Amino acid sequence: MRLNRILLSTALVVVALVVQVSVLARLHLPGAVPDLMLLVVVGLGLVYGHTAGCLVGFGAGLLADLAPPADHATGRYALVLCLIGYLVGLARPDSGRVRSATVPMLAVVGAAVLSTLLYAGVGSLVGDTAARHVGLSGLVATAACYDLLLAPFVVPLVMAMARRTVSDPLTGDGTAVAGGGDGAYGRTTKGSFRIGRMSRRNRLGGRGRGRGGRLGVQHGGLLPRAGRRQPKLKGVKRL
């Protein structure tokens, strides 16, 4: 990942973590908690692709595992968000731009359901059975509902900010195609103007030299040279 992408991803993840811990976790909503970290990972994965989405998801999940008041094993949520970022990045279009809102919304719903199931599954492997007592089906339904309601306010903003750090797919250097084309056309027009001006000078110079005596040689001797002596004809007055 480039430096500007790393800085943007880090800033977005830290802000999401602060809001998640200080605001969303204190709402005491029934069922699951709206997962702002998940929405940031989804938005970045749809723009950057599966590799960057995997790295961002792992970093975001690791911060969530270490941030208080975390009460689960370290690395549990990092594994979940790493897989989510990778899978969401696979849904990134080849052009790099999502043309409709259907793909992000489906990605949010799928990520919310899958992350809840993965989190509960990894918890069962390490001996955490809290999801069974709360009700796994209720957690999945509320997580998908909360994240889907919050997604229109978060995911488009994250994707818009992430696109500013992505180079243009045609030029590869972040410059617009019109700018490069304008420069190319400008050089071609200028070069052709120079060539036309030089050819015009050559034609004028050829005419001037022809008046001095070279034009007659170039055109097969139709005009006599200035230094050639003309034959004398009797009875004809020389001009």
Side-chain angles (χ1 to χ4, degrees), residues 38 40-59 78-92 107 111 114 118:
L38 178 68
V40 171
V41 172
V42 170
L44 293 177
L46 288 175
V47 178
Y48 292 156
H50 60 278
T51 302
C54 179
L55 296 176
V56 172
F58 178 80
L79 176 61
V80 173
L81 287 187
C82 180
L83 295 176
I84 294 298
Y86 180 81
L87 294 177
V88 171
L90 294 177
R92 174 179 177 267
L114 185 60
L118 287 176

Side-chain angles (χ1 to χ4, degrees), residues 132-152:
R132 297 179 181 178
H133 301 289
V134 176
L136 185 59
S137 59
L139 288 177
V140 171
T142 53
C145 181
Y146 294 155
D147 292 343
L148 187 60
L149 292 177
L150 192 60

Side-chain angles (χ1 to χ4, degrees), residues 9 13-14 16-17 35-38 40-41 53-68 70 72-85 119:
S9 301
V13 167
V14 170
L17 179 62
D35 197 343
L36 189 60
M37 302 279 286
L38 178 68
V40 171
V41 172
C54 179
L55 296 176
V56 172
F58 178 80
L62 188 60
L63 287 178
D65 291 333
L66 298 176
H72 55 269
T74 302
R76 178 179 174 183
Y77 201 49
L79 176 61
V80 173
L81 287 187
C82 180
L83 295 176
I84 294 298
Y119 189 82

Side-chain angles (χ1 to χ4, degrees), residues 5-210:
R5 299 186 186 185
I6 295 176
L7 294 177
L8 177 62
S9 301
T10 304
L12 291 177
V13 167
V14 170
V15 172
L17 179 62
V18 172
V19 176
Q20 180 80 32
V21 174
S22 60
V23 178
L24 298 180
R26 299 177 182 273
L27 295 179
H28 301 291
L29 297 174
V33 177
D35 197 343
L36 189 60
M37 302 279 286
L38 178 68
L39 299 180
V40 171
V41 172
V42 170
L44 293 177
L46 288 175
V47 178
Y48 292 156
H50 60 278
T51 302
C54 179
L55 296 176
V56 172
F58 178 80
L62 188 60
L63 287 178
D65 291 333
L66 298 176
D71 55 352
H72 55 269
T74 302
R76 178 179 174 183
Y77 201 49
L79 176 61
V80 173
L81 287 187
C82 180
L83 295 176
I84 294 298
Y86 180 81
L87 294 177
V88 171
L90 294 177
R92 174 179 177 267
D94 296 334
S95 60
R97 289 184 175 272
V98 180
R99 301 298 180 181
S100 64
T102 305
V103 175
M105 294 301 103
L106 291 177
V108 167
V109 174
V113 174
L114 185 60
S115 63
T116 305
L117 294 177
L118 287 176
Y119 189 82
V122 175
S124 63
L125 293 177
V126 297
D128 186 4
T129 59
R132 297 179 181 178
H133 301 289
V134 176
L136 185 59
S137 59
L139 288 177
V140 171
T142 53
C145 181
Y146 294 155
D147 292 343
L148 187 60
L149 292 177
L150 192 60
F153 305 99
V154 178
V155 176
L157 180 61
V158 172
M159 294 179 65
M161 296 175 66
R163 287 195 191 100
R164 296 178 178 272
T165 62
V166 178
S167 300
D168 191 90
L170 296 181
T171 59
D173 55 356
T175 58
V177 179
D182 183 50
Y185 281 112
R187 293 172 185 173
T188 305
T189 306
K190 188 175 181 180
S192 61
F193 176 72
R194 288 180 177 177
I195 295 174
R197 185 170 59 182
M198 291 175 63
S199 62
R200 182 181 179 185
R201 287 181 178 178
N202 293 336
R203 289 196 300 268
L204 293 177
R207 292 178 182 178
R209 289 192 298 269

